[in-house]
Amino acid sequence: MTAPSRRSFVAAVAGVGAAAAAVGGAPAASAAEETTSRRRPALTASVTLAPGLTPKAVTGRVYVILTTDADSEPREQAGDVADGVPFWGLDVTGLAPGRSTTVPLAAPAVGFPLADASSLPPGTYRAQAFFNVYTHFSRSDGAEIDLHLPGGDGHDVFASTGNLYGPVVEVTVPATGGRGTVHLTLDTVVQPSEPVPAGGTSQQGNPAESQHVKHVKIRSAVLSEFWGRDMYVAADVLLPLGYDEAANRTVRYPMELNHGHFPGDAPRRFTEDGSNAFSAYWLSGTAPKFITVTFRHENPYYDDSYAVDTANIGPYGTALNRELLPEVDRRFRTIGAPWARVLSGGSTGGWEAAATQIFYPDLYQGAWAGYPDPLDFHAHQLVDVYGDDNAYVTHHAYLDVPVPSAREVSGKSQYTMGQENGWERALGSRGRSGLGQWDVWQAVFSPRGADGYPKPIWDKTTGKIDHAVAAYWQDHFDLATYVEKHWDELREKLDGQLTIYVGDADTYFLNDGVNLFKERVDKLAGSNVTYRFGRNQPHGWEPWTTREFYDLLADHVVAHAPAAQKGSLTSWRAAAKPADATGNATLG
């Protein structure tokens, strides 16, 4: 997760149309109707799919977005919980080119942060229609479902390949008066952000390569079987300084697998010109020579899969660790042995690093998990999914208190559980928000529901928790519970292999889950997990500089190398000390 809305919202930029429409041109009303309309002016949108824009009718979710901010298009302003602009979402089936669909800016459409446009202050707004296009999947488990298939955009709904949008229209909302309809059009298709090679696919993107950055993309057999269509996974590979030099052509290197959200074009934002602190360090000649890898696994529910096998997203743990990892080893000179593979990541990536070490302990030798998503679902942020009856409020005798979802270090709430889930609910029904953190956790941790979509952990409207679903979560993905249940087989494999760190003022209260995990795992005989806690530190806190971190990784690899291999480790383990402060910036 990343602040403020769990992951970066990458807006697509396009021109703004100049059309205008006035709302309030309804016929004269009776006195009673006029009084009502003065109190509650209502808006409806008519959204037309331009003729010829798509080869056939589309199914998905249409949004109508309103804003008074002219600095960017409305579609670029709806992707945030606390500071996003009003929008309404409605499922649409079979909208044909040239035809229109009606979107009331009130129920049955779901609005956020306003349920009904009647609550809008009077004034001039900029309106835009957007359509999240769904693909139909006939899955191997029998599910017949409709979801958006991202195309190299990390499932960033409002900038995702194949989705549709239209020109911006000015709308006048009167202080009093009648009701009206604003006419909006869908006339543009979001194109892939990178060129798609002939015969290729936009899935997982097609970033350009450079001297030190390479890319791997494969069709996953297990995912393609599960989803009933070709599905791909990919990796970004950052090579160490001197990798291609003749003197190093036989040298093999340890691997750092850095987990996280859908990545940029290069691991750790590396640039060939050394223009940021990490890149300057990597090219300094004083860094341990790792091959650093990030995985690309956007999917029909989110920007990444959480790197585990799940009932709703599919066997991504198998795809990444049994299909993609061997391909990376084949194409590049990794040592290719578990003792020379380490895991790292923060937030979502922190959970993935810990889970991968726990679920695949024979493939990796050490994980550094920063500010991880909940490791113990007794503290799913501030919700105990096992003991609480409602995720949105804490019940007292005469008062229901809203549960916060994000905070400042000062303790001030940024937004509540009900508000964040309401934003997701407007973005998509049945857990299809694409941007929503709670929706992806539900997709990862829940069983499949009777309708083919993830079985809800709680009622999205009321927050009432389904404890039968919570029991499934506990049996399959509660990492504290899993370690306890499998401790006899994990004790030696996890000995000294987990480092977990978090700020004690984590923005999303993730320190609570770490504390509970520590409390439970510390009680296990032979437990040897390292913890670091940052006093008064928010989400994203890193306890090391870049140099300190990579020295930790290198020392760990050397310590666990077989005796026969130790003599060859000097070929990549940098011994030179920097003459300047290169590498002394905080890792991040």
Side-chain angles (χ1 to χ4, degrees):
M1 301 181 299
T2 53
S5 58
R6 308 307 179 103
R7 60 179 183 152
S8 298
F9 179 74
V10 182
V13 178
V16 177
V23 175
S30 66
E33 291 171 335
E34 184 175 349
T35 299
T36 301
S37 67
R38 283 174 178 165
R39 284 200 315 268
R40 298 179 56 79
L43 301 181
T44 297
S46 177
V47 179
T48 301
L49 178 59
L53 185 64
T54 61
K56 59 182 181 179
V58 293
T59 291
R61 191 165 181 89
V62 63
Y63 308 103
V64 174
I65 311 158
L66 300 180
T67 182
T68 57
D69 185 348
D71 288 343
S72 59
E73 291 191 37
R75 67 191 174 103
E76 299 175 64
Q77 300 178 37
D80 187 79
V81 181
D83 297 313
V85 300
F87 72 98
W88 286 260
L90 185 69
D91 289 341
V92 175
T93 301
L95 179 61
R99 303 301 295 269
S100 301
T101 187
T102 298
V103 183
L105 304 193
V110 179
F112 184 86
L114 306 176
D116 193 320
S118 301
S119 301
L120 284 169
T124 299
Y125 291 81
R126 302 167 71 246
Q128 187 175 35
F130 194 93
F131 199 99
N132 188 14
V133 178
Y134 292 163
T135 294
H136 186 76
F137 296 92
S138 297
R139 287 198 326 213
S140 63
D141 62 354
E144 297 286 340
I145 56 177
D146 296 307
L147 291 158
H148 180 68
L149 179 64
D153 44 76
H155 210 140
D156 181 0
V157 171
F158 293 109
S160 192
T161 302
N163 281 345
L164 316 174
Y165 65 96
V168 177
V169 173
E170 286 193 352
V171 178
T172 300
V173 176
T176 59
R179 303 161 184 246
T181 299
V182 56
H183 295 276
L184 302 172
T185 304
L186 299 164
D187 64 2
T188 304
V189 181
V190 177
Q191 299 299 315
S193 59
E194 298 147 346
V196 180
T201 174
S202 64
Q203 281 187 53
Q204 311 306 340
N206 295 282
E209 295 191 339
S210 65
Q211 179 183 354
H212 292 93
V213 179
K214 309 300 179 183
H215 304 285
V216 177
K217 186 182 333 189
I218 64 170
R219 177 188 178 274
S220 167
V222 294
L223 292 174
S224 298
E225 179 182 2
F226 178 82
W227 284 102
R229 57 155 296 148
D230 288 343
M231 298 290 283
Y232 294 80
V233 289
D236 302 326
V237 181
L238 175 58
L239 301 175
L241 186 71
Y243 181 88
D244 288 327
E245 292 178 3
N248 296 325
R249 290 294 173 86
T250 61
V251 175
R252 292 189 171 273
Y253 301 91
M255 175 196 291
E256 175 205 11
L257 177 54
N258 179 238
H259 273 294
H261 290 286
F262 191 74
D265 293 350
R268 296 197 178 277
R269 301 183 181 91
F270 174 82
T271 59
E272 291 288 356
D273 62 5
S275 58
N276 58 43
F278 173 81
S279 303
Y281 167 71
W282 198 257
L283 298 173
S284 69
T286 65
K289 292 178 172 59
F290 279 85
I291 292 176
T292 288
V293 178
T294 51
F295 285 162
R296 304 167 77 90
H297 41 121
E298 61 176 7
N299 59 78
Y301 279 101
Y302 199 57
D303 77 339
D304 84 356
S305 67
Y306 275 68
V308 287
D309 292 353
T310 73
N312 297 294
I313 303 182
Y316 273 89
T318 298
L320 298 177
N321 293 290
R322 305 297 186 188
E323 295 180 332
L324 184 56
L325 177 65
E327 184 64 15
V328 172
D329 284 337
R330 186 185 71 80
R331 295 196 195 184
F332 301 95
R333 296 196 312 275
T334 63
I335 292 172
W339 63 266
R341 295 191 193 108
V342 292
L343 299 154
S344 64
S347 195
T348 288
W351 191 94
E352 290 171 340
T356 300
Q357 184 64 61
I358 290 168
F359 290 144
Y360 296 92
D362 296 324
L363 288 180
Y364 301 93
Q365 190 89 34
W368 281 257
Y371 36 99
D373 288 0
L375 303 178
D376 182 326
F377 297 144
H378 287 93
H380 190 46
Q381 294 199 175
L382 288 181
V383 179
D384 178 354
V385 299
Y386 312 127
D388 293 342
D389 64 351
N390 194 288
Y392 298 171
V393 296
T394 300
H395 295 301
H396 297 275
Y398 300 103
L399 191 67
D400 287 343
V401 178
V403 176
S405 188
R407 62 176 169 181
E408 299 175 2
V409 170
S410 67
K412 183 181 294 185
S413 292
Q414 294 179 342
Y415 44 82
T416 68
M417 285 287 296
Q419 289 165 343
E420 187 176 9
N421 279 265
W423 173 71
E424 292 185 9
R425 185 168 161 262
L427 284 169
S429 63
R430 294 171 167 173
R432 293 179 290 187
S433 66
L435 287 167
Q437 186 65 59
W438 301 99
D439 277 351
V440 73
W441 279 332
Q442 181 173 274
V444 172
F445 303 142
S446 287
R448 196 196 86 183
D451 61 359
Y453 297 93
K455 196 165 185 181
I457 181 66
W458 53 68
D459 184 292
K460 201 74 170 175
T461 302
T462 67
K464 180 177 173 56
I465 295 173
D466 185 332
H467 290 110
V469 175
Y472 181 95
W473 283 33
Q474 185 172 39
D475 289 342
H476 292 79
F477 295 108
D478 185 311
L479 295 186
T481 299
Y482 184 90
V483 170
E484 285 179 338
K485 285 185 175 180
H486 298 84
W487 187 239
D488 286 345
E489 60 198 80
L490 288 176
R491 180 188 292 106
E492 292 185 5
K493 295 178 180 181
L494 291 184
D495 184 14
Q497 304 307 316
L498 277 177
T499 298
I500 301 171
Y501 57 97
V502 66
D504 65 8
D506 186 89
T507 309
Y508 307 110
F509 307 94
L510 299 177
N511 51 300
D512 290 356
V514 172
N515 288 334
L516 289 180
F517 181 90
K518 182 179 187 302
E519 180 180 323
R520 294 171 67 180
V521 174
D522 277 356
K523 294 177 181 178
L524 302 174
S527 175
N528 182 19
V529 179
T530 299
Y531 298 91
R532 294 286 297 272
F533 295 93
R535 173 64 179 155
N536 226 31
Q537 295 296 324
H539 194 68
W541 170 72
E542 297 281 350
W544 305 286
T545 66
T546 300
R547 178 170 299 283
E548 289 170 339
F549 181 73
Y550 277 95
D551 282 345
L552 278 174
L553 299 191
D555 290 344
H556 188 86
V557 170
V558 170
H560 290 85
Q565 299 286 337
K566 289 186 184 292
S568 65
L569 297 182
T570 55
S571 58
W572 62 266
R573 179 69 168 96
K577 298 298 181 183
D580 55 21
T582 303
N584 288 343
T586 301
L587 183 72

